[in-house]
């Protein structure tokens, strides 16, 4: 197959950042996605209904002219989040709230450090029909970084899902075979997003022959056996898994230094690279469900009514793009050849 037309896809997990960065990230996403779930880990984080509304307006202001792209807004959970905050955020249009363990990723220091205290909030979310999006990693210093996801499943994810059987839970950017197995075994209220980098790469790609800072993300890339588990499950067409890029931009000098930031900026190439993966797996017939149907169905939103066409044609992903402030940023797989592209 050398051409495929699919319902316009959505990105169910990404980081637009804020300020001038929006003038780069929003158009890059809107070029191929109709909707995107905007992560709330800004500085300061999006913790109130007013902040949800204000951030949405800043995103909309950065849309290309005549674009119909729509952000899906989220609330940042802290140990001070109240049930009233959930009610107000839902009324302001937030469809989900994001649980970060404190210190798990960029700008997450204000996040949740006492999970049990959040159970009344989860109960209110269940009542309001608001989704819970979980960055599922244990961040205690003694836990090996490659075991963080499994430990979170064992210690926290299992009991959250058991305690709130009617709460829709998205296990974000899963990276391990244990997470695949957990989601498959859970009820219909549990689903997961998967990134392009975790389908394309494993920790050898990050570390062998020298550290590649533009492959460094959190959760970190895992062993090949985990990469293969992710690839295998998307090839089945299971409705419990859908597209979430975790596109996370950082300026080049903040990635290429002694303490490089975590995140892969994949908006420039995401749908093309996902298509390449599904082609490699002989599962192009499963791409539309993963990219365009499963997420909308799980969120309870209508599927998009437009479509995009991709053709099997080599093109080179830009090695760098220039931000509005003049600083460079390196896209995921920047300078490398991708085998699929969006048809003009």
């Amino acid at each position: 197959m050398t051409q495929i037309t699919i319902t316009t896809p959505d990105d169910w997990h990404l980081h637009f950042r804020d300020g001038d960065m929006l003038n780069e990230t929003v158009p890059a996403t809107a070029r191929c996605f109709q909707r995107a779930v905007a992560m709330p880990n800004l500085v300061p984080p999006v913790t109130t209904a007013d902040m949800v509304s204000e951030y949405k307006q800043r995103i909309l202001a950065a849309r290309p002219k005549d674009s119909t792209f729509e952000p899906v807004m989220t609330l940042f959970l802290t140990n001070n989040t109240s049930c009233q905050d959930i009610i107000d955020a839902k009324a302001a249009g937030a469809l989900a709230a994001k649980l970060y363990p404190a210190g798990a990723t960029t700008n997450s220091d204000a996040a949740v450090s006492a999970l049990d205290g959040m159970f009344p909030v989860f109960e209110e979310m269940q009542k309001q029909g608001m989704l819970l999006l979980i960055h599922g990693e244990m961040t205690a210093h003694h836990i090996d970084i490659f075991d963080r996801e499994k430990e979170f499943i064992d210690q926290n994810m299992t009991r959250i899902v058991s305690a709130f059987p009617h709460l829709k839970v998205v296990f974000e950017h899963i990276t391990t075979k244990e997470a695949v197995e957990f989601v498959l075994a859970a009820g219909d209220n549990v689903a997961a997003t998967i990134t392009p980098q975790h389908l394309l790469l494993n920790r050898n790609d990050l570390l062998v022959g020298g550290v590649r800072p533009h492959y460094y993300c959190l959760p970190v890339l895992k062993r090949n056996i985990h990469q293969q588990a992710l690839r295998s499950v998307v090839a089945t067409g299971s409705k419990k898994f859908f597209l979430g890029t975790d596109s996370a931009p950082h300026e080049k000098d903040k990635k290429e230094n002694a303490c490089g930031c975590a995140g892969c900026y994949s908006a420039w190439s995401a749908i093309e690279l996902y298509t390449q993966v599904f082609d490699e797996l002989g599962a192009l017939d499963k791409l539309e469900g993963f990219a365009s149907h499963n997420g909308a169905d799980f969120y309870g939103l209508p599927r998009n009514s437009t479509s995009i066409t991709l053709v099997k044609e080599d093109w080179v992903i830009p090695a760098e793009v220039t931000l509005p402030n003049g600083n460079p940023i390196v896209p995921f797989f920047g300078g490398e050849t991708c085998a699929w592209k969006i048809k003009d």
Side-chain angles (χ1 to χ4, degrees), residues 171-175 180 192-199 229-231 233-234 241-246 274 290:
F171 198 165
E172 300 277 32
H173 44 50
I174 62 169
T175 66
V180 169
T193 55
I194 301 179
T195 74
Q197 61 263 29
H198 291 105
L199 290 169
L230 299 179
R231 289 170 70 93
V233 80
V234 298
F241 302 88
F242 42 87
L243 186 157
T245 63
D246 197 19
Y274 279 118
F290 177 82

Side-chain angles (χ1 to χ4, degrees), residues 3 8 31 136 159 191 238 241 290 302 314 330:
Q3 180 169 305
T8 303
R31 73 184 182 90
R159 63 195 185 97
S238 170
F241 302 88
F290 177 82
D314 286 351
V330 177

Side-chain angles (χ1 to χ4, degrees), residues 144-206:
D144 189 290
I145 192 169
F146 294 104
D147 295 332
R148 283 179 168 187
E149 189 169 275
K150 181 182 182 302
E151 288 295 322
F152 190 91
I153 293 169
D154 294 344
Q155 297 187 38
N156 291 327
M157 187 66 86
T158 302
R159 63 195 185 97
I160 292 172
V161 170
S162 176
F164 304 100
H166 302 296
L167 175 65
K168 283 190 172 181
V169 175
V170 181
F171 198 165
E172 300 277 32
H173 44 50
I174 62 169
T175 66
T176 60
K177 64 181 181 64
E178 288 85 3
V180 169
E181 292 163 357
F182 174 83
V183 173
L184 287 173
D188 291 342
N189 63 314
V190 178
T193 55
I194 301 179
T195 74
Q197 61 263 29
H198 291 105
L199 290 169
L200 285 160
L201 305 171
N202 59 63
R203 66 187 191 182
N204 275 6
D205 299 298
L206 172 67

Side-chain angles (χ1 to χ4, degrees), residues 256-274:
E256 298 178 5
N257 65 47
C259 189
C261 294
C264 300
Y265 180 45
S266 58
W268 273 81
S269 56
I271 191 61
E272 295 90 343
L273 289 171
Y274 279 118

Side-chain angles (χ1 to χ4, degrees), residues 235-310:
T236 69
S238 170
K239 294 181 179 181
K240 294 173 74 70
F241 302 88
F242 42 87
L243 186 157
T245 63
D246 197 19
S247 182
H250 294 283
E251 294 177 6
K252 182 178 179 181
D253 63 348
K254 293 180 179 178
K255 292 286 291 180
E256 298 178 5
N257 65 47
C259 189
C261 294
C264 300
Y265 180 45
S266 58
W268 273 81
S269 56
I271 191 61
E272 295 90 343
L273 289 171
Y274 279 118
T275 306
Q276 181 171 304
V277 168
F278 278 78
D279 189 19
E280 292 169 356
L281 295 171
L284 278 174
D285 61 317
K286 304 299 194 302
L287 175 65
E288 185 175 43
F290 177 82
S292 311
H293 294 167
N294 299 348
D297 294 349
F298 190 78
Y299 270 74
L301 296 173
R303 296 178 180 181
N304 297 320
S305 58
T306 55
S307 64
I308 63 169
T309 297
L310 296 114

Side-chain angles (χ1 to χ4, degrees), residues 25-99:
T25 57
V26 175
T29 298
R31 73 184 182 90
C32 61
F33 294 112
Q34 179 62 44
R35 294 173 291 214
V37 175
M39 291 296 106
N41 57 326
L42 308 182
V43 180
V46 180
T47 55
T48 69
D50 286 346
M51 295 174 81
V52 167
S53 299
E54 291 162 4
Y55 187 35
K56 182 175 183 177
Q57 290 309 308
R58 297 197 296 275
I59 295 170
L60 291 174
R63 288 188 305 186
K65 184 180 179 181
D66 299 327
S67 172
T68 60
F69 170 81
E70 285 289 332
V72 176
M73 304 310 295
T74 60
L75 185 75
F76 184 102
L77 295 175
T78 76
N79 286 119
N80 294 320
T81 301
S82 68
C83 293
Q84 189 61 48
D85 289 329
I86 297 299
I87 295 168
D88 293 344
K90 182 68 184 298
L95 297 188
K98 182 63 183 281
L99 173 67

